[in-house]
Amino acid sequence: MVMDVNRRTVLRLSRYRKALQRFSELGFVKVFSDNLGEAVGVTSAQVRKDFSLFGISGNKRGGYQIDSLLETLQRILGKGRVQKVIVAGAGNIGRALIHYPTFEKEGIQIAAAFDIDPAKMHRKERIPVLSLDEMPRFIEENGIEIGIIAVPEIAAQEVCDRMVRSGIRGILNFAPIRLRCGDENVVINPVNLQIELENVIYFVHALGKNQDTAPVNDKIKVNHL
Amino acid sequence: MVMDVNRRTVLRLSRYRKALQRFSELGFVKVFSDNLGEAVGVTSAQVRKDFSLFGISGNKRGGYQIDSLLETLQRILGKGRVQKVIVAGAGNIGRALIHYPTFEKEGIQIAAAFDIDPAKMHRKERIPVLSLDEMPRFIEENGIEIGIIAVPEIAAQEVCDRMVRSGIRGILNFAPIRLRCGDENVVINPVNLQIELENVIYFVHALGKNQDTAPVNDKIKVNHL
DNA sequence: GTTTTTTTGTGATAATTTTCACTAAATTGC
DNA sequence: GCAATTTAGTGAAAATTATCACAAAAAAAC
Ligand SMILES: NC(=O)c1ccc[n+]([C@@H]2O[C@H](COP(=O)([O-])OP(=O)(O)OC[C@H]3O[C@@H](n4cnc5c(N)ncnc54)[C@H](O)[C@@H]3O)[C@@H](O)[C@H]2O)c1
Ligand SMILES: NC(=O)c1ccc[n+]([C@@H]2O[C@H](COP(=O)([O-])OP(=O)(O)OC[C@H]3O[C@@H](n4cnc5c(N)ncnc54)[C@H](O)[C@@H]3O)[C@@H](O)[C@H]2O)c1
C-alpha cells in the first residue's frame, strides 16, 4: 500500500531534474506538476506522487519554486558533491564515455579508465587510461564506489568480480550478459544497446503488420519504461 | 485481464533469445523454463507466461527444444532478414555503434551514418559517413525504417523530424531530450546514459546511508526493469 | 471580505504485471 | 502397463504501479 522508492521512481526524478534545469535556464521561476509531467511524459498525479514520496511539497495553487525544487532533487540524487567513477574497457563505449564532457559538468567525474591492451593506455591524458592491474589500487586509494563495465562480454564477469572485491558498490554494465554478484549490497544496472535496438525493430514491425500476426498493445509510442 | 505484448515483454524475449544462443553454443538441446528464467533473471512462471502470449509451446516434462525455440524467437524479433539501420551523428556514440561488429553478426546492418561536420565524413568506409543532407534520399532509396539519433541534444528534435518525414518508423534516441513526434505510428525509445548512471549512484548512496534519510525498497539489487 | 479559481497532496480506485498453485500431459522406472 | 515424477500451461491471486478524484489550501477576482 505504501509505494516505495524504486528504480523507476528514481529514473523519473532524474528526468524531472533535467526538465527543471531547462525551465530554470529559460528564466522560469515556478512550475506546476502538469508542466513537469508534460515535459517528462507522465501525468501530473505521477509527478506529485513521486514528490510526496520524498517529502517534497509545493504550494497549493502556487506550484513549485524551480530553484528550491531543483536543489532538493540535486540533493536527493547525490549531486551535492562530485561523484567519481571509473570505466573498465577503453574501447568504443569506454572512450565515448570518457570523451563526453557533460558528465563533468553534471558532477560525474570519470577518474580513470582501465584496459588490458597496452595500445589503449594513455597515462598522460586528463582522464588517464591505465592498466587493469592498477584498478584495485586505484579504487581503494581514491575511494571509488561506482564502476562502468565496457569490456567484451567474455571479460565482464571477471572485471565485475574484481571491481566488487576492490570496493565498488555500483556498476553500470554495457556488456550483454547478466552479471552475478554475491554481495546483495552491490547495485548492478545493465544497459543493453542491442536489446534496446531490437525492441524498436520489433515495434516497428508490429505496427507495420496488420495486428493479426501478434497481439499488440494500443499505446505503442512506448518511450521510457 | 489479458496481458498483452508490451515493451518489457519484448525486452525479455530478446534476453531469452540471447540466453538460448548461449545454451545452443554449449551444445544443449533442450531447456526448461526455470533454466531460462535463471539465465535471464526472472521466474519460470514469467518465462512460460511470456511464451504463452506468443503461442509458443514446449513439451510437458520435456521443456523446449532449443533450436526450434530459438528460431521462433528469431522470427518474432524480426531476425529473419537483415535489418538496415542508419545513425545520425558520427561522434562518440555514433562511432561506437558503427564500430561494433556484433550488430552485423546479429542481423543488424548499419547502412550509413550522417553528420553535419565535414571532418567526420568518410564516403569510402565500409559504413560510410555521409552529409546529413543526403539522409532523406538515402532513407527513401534504401527503404530504411530504423534510425539512431546520436547528435547533440540541441539538434536531436530537428534530426528526428527529418527522419520521420523521410519515412523512418522507429528511433533509438541517445540525446537526453524527450523527442516529440506527431505521428503515432513512430516508435521512439530513449537511451539516457547519464540517467542510468545517476540511478546507480542513487542506489549506492541509498544502500550506504542508514535508511532514515530516504525510504528505500528492500530488493535493491535492481538490475533490469 | 467573500467568492471563485487554481493547484497541491493523498486516499481510494483502477490497471497492470508478476507470482502462485494446480491441472494435465509426457516421461521414466519398475 | 501402472505408479511416480517432472514440467508446461494457465486461471486465480497477489503485488505493484499508475490514475482518479476530491478535500484543503492559497491566490485572485471582485
Ligand atoms: N560499441 C557498441 O556500440 C556496443 C553495442 C552494444 C553492446 N556493447 C557492449 O559494450 C561492451 C564494450 O563494447 P565496445 O564496443 O566498447 O568494445 P571494444 O572491443 O571496442 O572495447 C573493449 C575494450 O575492453 C578491453 N578489454 C578486454 N578485456 C579486458 C579486461 N579484462 N579488462 C579491461 N579491459 C579489457 C579491450 O582491450 C578493449 O579496449 C561490450 O561488452 C559490448 O558487447 C557495445
Ligand atoms: N558520449 C557519451 O558518453 C554520452 C553520454 C550520455 C549522452 N550522450 C548523448 O548522446 C548524443 C551523442 O553524444 P556524443 O558524445 O556522440 O556527441 P558528439 O558531440 O561526440 O557527437 C555528435 C555528432 O553529431 C554531429 N552533429 C551535430 N549536429 C548534427 C546534425 N544536426 N545532424 C547530424 N549530425 C550532427 C556532430 O558533428 C558530432 O559528430 C548526445 O545527445 C549526448 O548528449 C552521450
Side-chain angles (χ1 to χ4, degrees):
Chain A
M1 192 169 106
V2 253
M3 170 65 178
D4 61 359
V5 177
N6 58 27
R7 185 147 143 64
R8 304 167 83 174
T9 313
V10 179
L11 288 173
R12 284 196 299 269
L13 239 50
S14 275
R15 293 201 185 94
Y16 300 144
R17 188 182 76 86
K18 182 81 206 296
L20 284 165
Q21 277 183 336
R22 250 180 298 130
F23 285 137
S24 179
E25 277 161 21
L26 290 170
F28 289 98
V29 173
K30 64 182 186 179
V31 71
F32 302 122
S33 57
D34 57 347
N35 303 141
L36 270 173
E38 225 283 311
V40 160
V42 301
T43 63
S44 61
Q46 180 77 79
V47 174
R48 297 195 298 275
K49 263 277 154 69
D50 286 340
F51 286 175
S52 117
L53 194 56
F54 288 91
I56 296 173
S57 57
N59 315 298
K60 298 245 162 108
R61 201 185 167 149
Y64 303 83
Q65 288 300 116
I66 288 178
D67 285 356
S68 106
L69 179 54
L70 195 45
E71 259 174 50
T72 305
L73 291 184
Q74 308 268 34
R75 183 175 47 68
I76 291 168
L77 293 169
K79 293 283 169 190
R81 49 192 157 332
V82 171
Q83 181 69 50
K84 287 191 187 179
V85 171
I86 57 164
V87 175
N92 293 310
I93 293 288
R95 283 198 308 265
L97 297 168
I98 291 171
H99 295 128
Y100 187 59
T102 309
F103 283 143
E104 192 89 40
K105 286 174 197 135
E106 294 275 1
I108 295 170
Q109 185 201 329
I110 299 182
F114 300 90
D115 207 294
I116 41 162
D117 182 356
K120 300 277 170 65
M121 293 170 201
H122 297 284
R123 336 197 123 262
K124 302 292 163 63
E125 295 285 313
R126 201 172 51 80
I127 298 176
V129 179
L130 309 173
S131 163
L132 192 74
D133 301 328
E134 301 175 69
M135 190 175 71
R137 233 181 97 113
F138 190 95
I139 291 170
E140 285 158 31
E141 287 185 353
N142 295 277
I144 308 286
E145 291 177 306
I146 314 283
I148 299 175
I149 291 185
V151 301
E153 176 177 357
I154 189 77
Q157 183 63 61
E158 161 69 13
V159 168
C160 169
D161 294 345
R162 283 215 221 183
M163 280 184 170
V164 172
R165 270 202 305 277
S166 308
I168 290 285
R169 317 282 320 286
I171 293 174
L172 190 68
N173 173 39
F174 283 89
I177 192 171
R178 190 159 88 98
L179 297 177
R180 314 295 181 121
C181 166
D183 191 338
E184 286 289 299
N185 281 23
V186 174
V187 178
I188 304 180
N189 277 19
V191 175
N192 192 320
L193 300 182
Q194 183 181 332
I195 282 183
E196 294 294 336
L197 190 48
E198 286 179 353
N199 203 251
V200 175
I201 293 170
Y202 175 88
F203 283 105
V204 166
H205 289 171
L207 275 169
K209 299 232 187 302
N210 7 2
Q211 268 79 335
D212 307 348
T213 333
V216 170
N217 199 324
D218 322 345
K219 23 180 172 163
I220 272 190
K221 305 159 294 193
V222 178
N223 282 35
H224 59 75
L225 287 172
Chain B
M1 191 169 107
V2 254
M3 170 65 178
D4 62 359
V5 178
N6 58 27
R7 184 147 144 64
R8 305 167 83 175
T9 313
V10 179
L11 289 172
R12 283 196 300 269
L13 239 50
S14 276
R15 293 200 186 94
Y16 300 144
R17 189 182 76 86
K18 183 79 206 295
L20 285 166
Q21 277 182 336
R22 251 180 298 132
F23 285 138
S24 179
E25 277 162 22
L26 291 170
F28 289 99
V29 173
K30 64 182 187 181
V31 69
F32 302 122
S33 57
D34 57 348
N35 303 142
L36 271 173
E38 225 283 310
V40 160
V42 301
T43 64
S44 61
Q46 181 78 80
V47 175
R48 297 196 298 274
K49 263 277 152 73
D50 286 340
F51 286 176
S52 119
L53 193 56
F54 288 92
I56 295 173
S57 57
N59 315 300
K60 297 234 164 123
R61 198 182 170 154
Y64 303 85
Q65 288 300 116
I66 288 179
D67 286 356
S68 106
L69 179 54
L70 195 45
E71 260 175 50
T72 305
L73 291 184
Q74 307 268 35
R75 184 175 46 68
I76 291 168
L77 294 170
K79 293 282 170 192
R81 49 191 159 328
V82 171
Q83 181 70 50
K84 288 190 186 178
V85 170
I86 57 165
V87 175
N92 294 308
I93 293 289
R95 282 199 309 266
L97 298 168
I98 291 170
H99 295 127
Y100 187 59
T102 309
F103 283 144
E104 192 89 37
K105 284 174 199 136
E106 294 275 3
I108 295 169
Q109 185 201 332
I110 299 183
F114 300 91
D115 207 295
I116 40 162
D117 181 356
K120 301 276 169 65
M121 294 171 200
H122 297 283
R123 336 197 124 261
K124 302 293 162 66
E125 296 283 317
R126 201 172 51 81
I127 298 176
V129 180
L130 309 174
S131 162
L132 191 74
D133 300 329
E134 303 174 65
M135 189 175 72
R137 235 182 96 114
F138 190 96
I139 290 170
E140 285 158 31
E141 286 183 355
N142 296 277
I144 308 285
E145 291 177 306
I146 314 283
I148 299 175
I149 291 185
V151 301
E153 176 177 354
I154 188 77
Q157 184 62 61
E158 160 70 12
V159 168
C160 169
D161 295 344
R162 282 213 221 183
M163 280 183 169
V164 172
R165 269 203 305 276
S166 307
I168 290 286
R169 317 282 320 284
I171 293 174
L172 190 69
N173 173 39
F174 284 89
I177 191 172
R178 190 159 88 98
L179 296 177
R180 313 297 180 119
C181 166
D183 191 338
E184 285 290 299
N185 282 21
V186 174
V187 178
I188 305 180
N189 277 20
V191 175
N192 192 321
L193 301 182
Q194 182 180 333
I195 282 182
E196 295 294 335
L197 190 49
E198 286 179 353
N199 203 250
V200 175
I201 294 170
Y202 175 88
F203 284 105
V204 166
H205 289 170
L207 276 169
K209 298 232 189 302
N210 7 5
Q211 270 77 332
D212 308 348
T213 332
V216 170
N217 198 325
D218 322 346
K219 25 179 174 168
I220 272 192
K221 306 158 293 192
V222 178
N223 282 33
H224 59 75
L225 287 173

